Amino acid sequence: MEYTTLNNGQKLPLVGFGVYQIPPRQTAEAVTTALNDGYRLIDTAEYYRNEKEVGAAVRQSDIPRDEIFVTTKMPPQPSYAAAAQRIDESLRALDIDYIDLMLIHWPGRANVENYRALEDAQKAGKVRSIGLSSFYGQEYQEILDQCEIVPVLDQNETHVFRQQQEFQKVLEAHGTKLESWSPLAEGQQGIFSNPVLVKIAAAHHKSVAQVVLRFLTQRGIIVIPKSVHPERIAENINLFDFELTSAEMAQIKTLDQKRSIFGW
Ligand SMILES: NC(=O)c1ccc[n+]([C@@H]2O[C@H](COP(=O)([O-])OP(=O)(O)OC[C@H]3O[C@@H](n4cnc5c(N)ncnc54)[C@H](OP(=O)(O)O)[C@@H]3O)[C@@H](O)[C@H]2O)c1
């Protein structure tokens, strides 16, 4: 596994496991499979309705708590008080002593108040790191200008069709890492049969999924692919025994449409 270091010194694996759209009854099993395969970063959210099952899998595993990094997210709340309550509710649902990373899931009307609640939760030891998701431009800048703690990362839609080459530079200039949501583009736009990707995958005896995840991690972007299939869960973390050449990176760069494929 390769790691990245956040602006507060915490180390984060470059590959994690996302549990969006995994039904609660399947979540603990999928997370256990992922942990057994070597995943140490799990990405959930209040919105996914499976925080409880993620927490159960983490508690039941033999892996020491401090080796597992759990991210969760709160939907935007109307006030500081509501955000503080939401953080406590996630902590209760997960039941894993502390949350490694908590994000505001998407921008709302009280971003600064929400973020200040996260800052206070970090100071109280409830949360180790705090950040954002789907924050761009002015919304990101407002947090930098009005809050104290620089977000450790911004989790944004990032895949071969929306590469975020420019925004990654903006974030990194402020000490915020880019984390990719939907790194496999949720399988859309014919990604797995794209001729450019199929050719590169064949050259490395790897799958297209591995090539597109390698493309992102090779740029220092954290990826959190989701799957419910054990063979794919194993495949998606097996990325570090090959490297894309600069010519291959340049070919994949040509697939960038520079816009959301999900309407974000
Ligand atoms: N912050 C946000 O707003 C936000 C938004 C979206 C997602 N996320 C996070 O990002 C994570 C990943 O994004 P995502 O779940 O939207 O999509 P994704 O990881 O880009 O793609 C998941 C899809 O690809 C399939 N798949 C997985 N591995 C594969 C492989 N090796 N070969 C072929 N198909 C494969 C999965 O099917 P099977 O499950 O059937 O294998 C599923 O249909 C989420 O789980 C969530 O944690 C965050």
Side-chain angles (χ1 to χ4, degrees):
M1 176 57 67
E2 292 183 6
Y3 293 82
T4 190
T5 305
L6 304 176
N7 66 27
N8 59 10
Q10 260 195 311
K11 276 177 82 182
L12 189 66
L14 274 178
V15 185
F17 185 64
V19 299
Y20 177 42
Q21 291 176 323
I22 303 187
R25 64 186 159 73
Q26 273 181 280
T27 302
E29 189 187 340
V31 171
T32 300
T33 302
L35 290 172
N36 289 339
D37 284 341
Y39 287 83
R40 293 293 179 268
L41 161 61
I42 311 294
D43 184 90
T44 183
E46 191 269 343
Y47 180 73
Y48 305 165
R49 302 278 177 243
N50 54 18
E51 286 177 310
K52 191 164 152 258
E53 292 74 15
V54 167
V58 169
R59 283 196 312 279
Q60 280 156 23
S61 110
D62 293 334
I63 301 160
R65 171 70 188 91
D66 63 2
E67 290 179 22
I68 303 177
F69 194 102
V70 177
T71 302
T72 194
K73 320 180 192 81
M74 63 169 169
Q77 301 296 312
S79 64
Y80 175 96
Q85 190 181 333
R86 189 56 258 146
I87 296 164
D88 287 343
E89 281 164 11
S90 278
L91 206 48
R92 255 197 308 279
L94 284 159
D95 191 16
I96 49 171
D97 299 333
Y98 59 89
I99 293 166
D100 294 276
L101 170 63
M102 191 150 187
L103 313 176
I104 303 175
H105 205 151
W106 59 86
R109 294 204 188 133
N111 297 328
V112 169
E113 288 81 351
N114 283 204
Y115 197 79
R116 287 193 178 137
L118 285 176
E119 289 182 320
D120 288 345
Q122 180 173 322
K123 287 173 193 161
K126 296 176 182 180
V127 175
R128 296 269 160 102
S129 291
I130 59 177
L132 305 169
S133 177
S134 297
F135 275 60
Y136 294 96
Q138 189 47 40
E139 285 152 347
Y140 171 59
Q141 192 60 46
E142 185 184 49
I143 299 296
L144 293 177
D145 291 345
Q146 297 189 43
C147 298
E148 206 182 306
I149 300 173
V150 175
V152 293
L153 60 79
D154 193 356
Q155 184 182 115
N156 288 333
E157 178 189 342
T158 310
H159 42 71
V160 292
F161 304 125
R162 190 186 195 189
Q163 299 187 6
Q164 306 278 20
Q165 301 269 359
E166 293 309 313
F167 194 53
Q168 183 182 11
K169 286 185 202 142
V170 173
L171 290 173
E172 289 185 351
H174 294 289
T176 301
K177 297 282 178 189
L178 175 59
E179 181 172 50
S180 149
W181 62 253
S182 296
L184 303 170
E186 277 187 10
Q188 295 192 25
Q189 306 237 339
I191 188 169
F192 297 121
S193 53
N194 181 286
V196 172
L197 300 173
V198 167
K199 194 166 168 221
I200 294 172
H204 291 279
H205 307 289
K206 287 283 177 182
S207 68
V208 166
Q210 289 168 320
V211 165
V212 298
L213 295 172
R214 182 68 206 172
F215 171 74
L216 296 172
T217 54
Q218 215 163 296
R219 290 174 48 206
I221 299 170
I222 306 135
V223 296
I224 44 171
K226 168 264 177 188
S227 179
V228 290
H229 293 96
E231 67 284 2
R232 290 178 177 175
I233 296 173
E235 180 183 321
N236 294 344
I237 197 179
N238 179 14
L239 306 180
F240 300 109
D241 60 351
F242 77 112
E243 200 167 331
L244 299 171
T245 64
S246 47
E248 290 166 338
M249 293 293 282
Q251 281 166 36
I252 298 175
K253 208 172 167 186
T254 65
L255 303 179
D256 195 1
Q257 299 169 15
K258 301 189 178 181
R259 59 179 175 80
S260 173
I261 63 167
F262 300 108
W264 276 90

